[in-house]
Amino acid sequence: MARLDFCTDPRLLPIHDKVLAEERLSFEDGCTLYDTTDLLGLGYLANLVRERRHGHRAYYIYNQHLNYSNVCVNGCRFCAFGKEAGDPLAYEMTLEQVFQKIRERLAEPITEIHIVGGLHPTLPFAYYLDMLRGIKALRPEVHLQAFTAVEIAHLAEMAGLSIAETLAALKEAGLGSLPGGGAEVFSPRIRRMLCRKKLSAEGWLSVCRTAHRLGLKTNATMLYGHLETVEERVDHLVRLREAQDETGGFVTFIPLAFHPRNTDLPHLQETTGFDDLKNLAAARLMLDNFPHIKAFWIMIGPKIAQLSLSFGADDIDGTVMEERITHMAGAQTAQGMTRGELLHLIRQAGREPVERDTLYNVIPS
Ligand code: V47
């Protein structure tokens, strides 16, 4: 067994051997990664994998988030964004308002529009198709990363189409890939407690498999820091790893830090920097078949996102510009960052900034 002099948790040593041998980590290993308090030992292991895959590169993207409506029939208890129709805080953008958001930033070198909303009870399928077509008409070169697997299942139901037919129609209208939201934690116990009406884990994975089969890449997320156990976190990662073995269609994994304000769980504490880094590092080590691990700075703050570039993450997301889901739940981060701010964070961490598009093609500077 190799020695790591700074490692204070001997349980990490056999895992270190596996990492060096590029051997897959087990469910039990995953539990150890979450259980340890040896953050530096854990980070060292995750950084071995991160640098093996990506060297010193740290990716960022010039993107724009668009949350077209928060009207939602699901009523998830962890969510402060979704509102019932008629709620004073409910909103929905007309297509003209959506297009105006895009027009306002036409002068900026945006390569991705990231679109997520609630499960709206009445908006017709044509609204979504026309949204994609209209944005493409304004910005033909942009990649549309739109609608989580949960929204896709809802649209299919509204349109009376199969998942494959729904995705094919959206792709035809300009859809480029799916964001990773809606996965939450796959555990049926958590879904029963927190998001009873939401698409099941099997349903979420099935939409992703169908998307992959149609040539659409997707991301994956895990919402952590609420009522989930360590075992439920590891189970979530293992199930994603198995799905990725089958299709290879996942691009990035993004752990999402729970924000409690204005939710049904306001008594819960915010996640800590320690747990944020642990989640990124454990994901890098467990998800050996995921190309990228993203630190979403909006949720964990720019400073932890910067540190995470040495704890497994190779991507820091991007400019974002306007975000509602986390900010309605009390996020104190800014609404967006400039390219200059992103470059500063990455360079100060000793990494080499690389601008990418959604599918990680490098954008020459
Ligand atoms: O699915 C909801 C989460 C997700 C809260 O694919 C919350 O690159 C924290 O999926 N506190 C939507 N999180 C956002 C999302 C996403 C974000 C960034 C990048 C990508 C990507 C995807 O936000 C939801 C849910 O899991 N969420 N409420 C909350 N209170």
Side-chain angles (χ1 to χ4, degrees):
M1 214 180 284
R3 283 194 51 78
L4 289 178
D5 285 340
F6 58 86
C7 178
T8 56
D9 184 345
R11 295 176 304 163
L12 293 181
L13 297 179
I15 299 180
H16 180 228
D17 290 342
K18 285 190 182 180
V19 170
L20 291 180
E22 300 190 34
E23 218 177 283
R24 181 159 273 194
L25 302 188
S26 66
F27 181 89
E28 290 69 30
D29 293 332
C31 293
T32 302
L33 300 178
Y34 275 116
D35 188 56
T36 187
T37 51
D38 182 3
L39 185 62
L40 290 183
L42 172 63
Y44 174 81
L45 299 187
N47 194 50
L48 284 177
V49 179
R50 184 244 189 265
E51 290 193 359
R52 189 190 289 150
R53 275 187 173 270
H54 302 292
H56 284 290
R57 290 184 296 283
Y59 295 97
Y60 73 96
I61 187 163
Y62 210 119
N63 62 355
Q64 176 178 7
H65 278 224
L66 182 86
N67 301 126
Y68 57 92
S69 171
N70 67 347
V71 178
C72 189
V73 295
N74 259 357
C76 301
R77 294 183 59 210
F78 53 74
C79 184
F81 170 72
K83 300 287 171 205
E84 280 181 16
D87 186 293
L89 292 177
Y91 72 89
E92 68 195 53
M93 294 183 190
T94 62
L95 286 178
E96 188 39 47
Q97 285 169 327
V98 168
F99 300 149
Q100 187 49 32
K101 290 264 176 212
I102 305 301
R103 271 191 223 105
E104 281 165 14
R105 299 200 177 264
L106 278 180
E108 293 178 54
I110 290 165
T111 63
E112 171 190 275
I113 317 264
H114 176 108
I115 307 174
V116 173
L119 305 191
H120 196 290
T122 55
L123 280 176
F125 189 40
Y127 170 90
Y128 302 89
L129 296 172
D130 290 344
M131 184 194 310
L132 300 183
R133 284 194 199 107
I135 297 176
K136 276 291 196 185
L138 288 168
R139 283 204 96 126
E141 74 295 347
V142 91
H143 181 107
L144 298 181
Q145 179 163 80
F147 315 131
T148 66
V150 172
E151 287 167 278
I152 298 292
H154 177 70
L155 296 190
E157 208 178 306
M158 297 290 290
L161 298 173
S162 69
I163 299 290
E165 288 164 341
T166 305
L167 285 166
L170 291 166
K171 191 177 175 198
E172 171 78 26
L175 179 68
S177 62
L178 267 53
E184 320 312 352
V185 181
F186 290 148
S187 150
R189 182 186 78 91
I190 291 290
R191 282 182 123 74
R192 261 195 317 276
M193 276 195 299
L194 297 185
C195 47
R196 200 173 265 282
K197 293 196 198 156
K198 188 162 236 156
L199 184 68
S200 65
E202 294 71 27
W204 189 93
L205 287 164
S206 167
V207 172
C208 291
R209 277 196 204 93
T210 309
H212 299 166
R213 190 159 46 75
L214 294 174
L216 291 163
K217 298 283 187 188
T218 75
N219 288 342
T221 56
M222 174 173 75
L223 182 68
Y224 67 92
H226 41 90
L227 305 177
E228 83 288 0
T229 62
V230 159
E231 288 75 15
E232 285 165 337
R233 289 180 182 183
V234 179
D235 172 68
H236 187 92
L237 297 180
V238 169
R239 291 183 73 178
L240 285 175
R241 188 169 75 181
E242 287 167 0
Q244 179 75 328
D245 278 342
E246 277 174 51
T247 68
F250 291 106
V251 182
T252 311
F253 175 75
I254 312 113
L256 301 177
F258 174 59
H259 283 60
R261 213 173 312 156
N262 304 322
T263 73
D264 268 5
L265 308 163
H267 52 286
L268 295 185
Q269 306 258 29
E270 287 180 11
T271 66
T272 61
F274 208 87
D275 201 25
D276 295 336
L277 289 175
K278 251 188 180 184
N279 267 282
L280 287 153
R284 180 60 286 167
L285 289 161
M286 290 301 290
L287 297 177
D288 52 16
N289 51 8
F290 271 61
H292 300 282
I293 303 292
K294 185 196 285 188
F296 188 42
W297 66 264
I298 288 269
M299 289 200 187
I300 57 175
K303 292 185 180 183
I304 295 291
Q306 181 194 35
L307 290 179
S308 78
L309 297 175
S310 298
F311 284 78
D314 61 279
D315 187 307
I316 197 169
D317 202 81
T319 48
V320 180
M321 298 171 187
E322 187 181 358
E323 197 275 347
R324 301 202 192 201
I325 300 174
T326 328
H327 285 88
M328 285 181 85
Q332 299 296 305
T333 45
Q335 282 286 340
M337 264 206 266
T338 62
R339 188 205 296 272
E341 286 168 322
L342 289 163
L343 294 178
H344 181 63
L345 284 178
I346 294 171
R347 289 199 178 115
Q348 287 261 313
R351 299 302 193 187
E352 175 205 340
V354 177
E355 185 179 348
R356 63 162 177 97
D357 67 11
T358 309
L359 302 178
Y360 289 82
N361 298 302
V362 173
I363 311 242
S365 46

